Amino acid sequence: SVVSRLLNGDPTLRIRQETRARVLAVAEELQYAPNHAARALRRSRSGTLGLAAHDLHNPVYAEIIAGAEAEARERGYVLLLADVDSLASDDDTFRRVMHGGAIEGLMLQRDGQASDRLVTRAAGSRVPVVILNERVRAPLSGVAVDDRRAAELAVRHLIALGHRDIAYLQVNGSNSRARDRKAGWQAAMRAAGLAPDLMVVGGVRPETGYQGMTELLGGARRPTAIFGGTLLAGIGAVSAARDAGLRVPEDLSVVGFHDAWFAEYVTPALTVVRLPLRELGRQAVRLLVQRIEGGAPQQTLISAPAPELVPRASTAPLR
């Protein structure tokens, strides 16, 4: 019983350090590993957490997943990844995951109608759900970063460089991320006495950022700076500007939202505003485990570390 309690991490166990060391040494020698299948059957628990996102190939989600996986592992869980559209549209998969005991809790990156339907269906199951990267209201639980503050930081950087015609490649959708980034752009512009009147939909992918930038360049008033509502939209904007014969940053400055490893290696290296996405993933797991253990729904806004501007070669003073 002493060995069992020690290897299961019983916090009430009181034994001598010499005994603890002997038990752990023998377990190491025998390469002992707990039988998680037997534990799950005995405790009616799977030891697995789920994470569903709209586009698992998005490099921004990779940061969230990395944080969530690290926290889950430290807490003795494994992380199961799923695509939101597949989970929402395939009834058999939904039943096996949400009602068949495959996971103990689900973290969900909501984006679009499919994920909205999934949230509604998941609310009818016994599996706790935490919404990722979004401010939500009870009875939902959510973890968010400070999108508005980050957007203001990005736009203030452009204003400090002398830019006045600053356009926004808008993130579409009705979630708090889209609302907060737009509100941050508007607030920074108005605080500087500027009109926030250059805005087109830029989406979340390079091709939609390219299309939005092309639309702006064809308008009656050409911007001198772009705030991309996502990192990939910012990459698309740089490409569209180059194809239109403009130089970045000599003719057009561009700031992207969020950071990823490749932003430093594109040409020119992209100025971004960086947010604590790994910490978001960790906090989501902590909140989900609290819900699994009977905790009340709550909303967490990550304020530390604060959003950080990372200046690179894609922004320069207005000529």
Side-chain angles (χ1 to χ4, degrees):
S1 62
V2 169
V3 171
S4 175
R5 292 172 63 191
L6 174 59
L7 296 180
N8 281 283
D10 185 348
T12 65
L13 178 63
R14 298 290 182 267
I15 59 172
R16 293 184 302 168
Q17 281 301 116
E18 304 86 60
T19 306
R20 180 185 299 273
R22 286 170 54 204
V23 171
L24 294 179
V26 172
E28 178 69 21
E29 180 183 346
L30 297 175
Q31 296 184 329
Y32 169 78
N35 188 323
H36 290 287
R39 283 186 175 184
L41 184 62
R42 186 173 68 253
R43 301 178 182 179
S44 298
R45 296 178 60 178
S46 67
T48 303
L49 305 178
L51 190 153
H54 180 67
D55 181 6
L56 290 172
H57 299 290
N58 191 315
V60 172
Y61 295 164
E63 285 291 296
I64 300 174
I65 291 169
E69 195 280 329
E71 185 70 24
R73 185 175 64 251
E74 290 174 12
R75 291 174 174 267
Y77 289 90
V78 295
L79 191 65
L80 174 69
L81 301 181
D83 179 79
V84 163
D85 292 335
S86 298
L87 194 57
S89 60
D90 189 327
D91 289 341
D92 181 59
T93 299
F94 179 86
R95 283 193 296 269
R96 284 189 290 112
V97 171
M98 301 300 292
H99 296 289
I103 60 174
E104 294 183 41
L106 176 68
M107 292 165 283
L108 173 64
Q109 174 85 20
R110 187 162 61 174
D111 188 10
Q113 294 182 349
S115 53
D116 289 342
R117 291 195 301 271
L118 183 57
V119 169
T120 301
R121 294 186 67 186
S125 73
R126 295 183 178 180
V127 175
V129 176
V130 169
I131 306 300
L132 288 169
N133 206 13
E134 185 178 348
R135 291 184 293 106
V136 295
R137 297 178 179 177
L140 294 176
S141 295
V143 181
V145 289
D146 199 340
D147 288 273
R148 174 167 176 152
R149 183 178 178 185
E152 290 186 51
L153 188 64
V155 178
R156 286 202 303 266
H157 169 67
L158 295 171
I159 293 172
L161 293 173
H163 295 280
R164 296 296 178 265
D165 296 318
I166 303 171
Y168 174 45
L169 290 176
Q170 179 185 11
V171 180
N172 25 351
S174 59
N175 55 58
S176 67
R177 298 189 303 279
R179 295 193 301 271
D180 288 349
R181 292 174 200 181
K182 178 181 177 181
W185 167 69
Q186 292 173 326
M189 293 289 284
R190 288 169 179 156
L194 305 174
D197 56 359
L198 285 172
M199 181 178 69
V200 298
V201 172
V204 297
R205 301 190 62 80
E207 58 267 29
T208 53
Y210 186 103
Q211 294 163 4
M213 185 75 251
T214 302
E215 182 180 341
L216 283 168
L217 294 177
R221 183 164 130 250
R222 178 176 289 183
T224 66
I226 297 294
F227 167 47
T230 67
L231 172 62
L232 296 183
I235 297 288
V238 171
S239 182
R242 183 172 56 244
D243 288 351
L246 299 178
R247 296 169 300 167
V248 177
E250 292 86 353
D251 302 317
L252 182 77
S253 286
V254 179
V255 178
F257 197 93
H258 288 313
D259 197 11
W261 65 267
F262 60 84
E264 189 174 358
Y265 298 99
V266 297
T267 303
L270 191 67
T271 295
V272 298
V273 59
R274 179 186 294 156
L275 290 97
L277 296 179
R278 288 199 179 219
E279 181 61 22
L280 186 148
R282 281 187 170 275
Q283 290 278 10
V285 169
R286 292 168 194 158
L287 179 55
L288 187 57
V289 171
Q290 289 176 15
R291 294 283 291 115
I292 291 170
E293 294 174 351
Q298 59 179 289
Q299 172 68 50
T300 300
L301 178 65
I302 300 174
S303 56
E308 174 191 6
L309 183 81
V310 183
R312 296 189 179 116
S314 66
T315 52
L318 177 67
R319 295 201 307 167

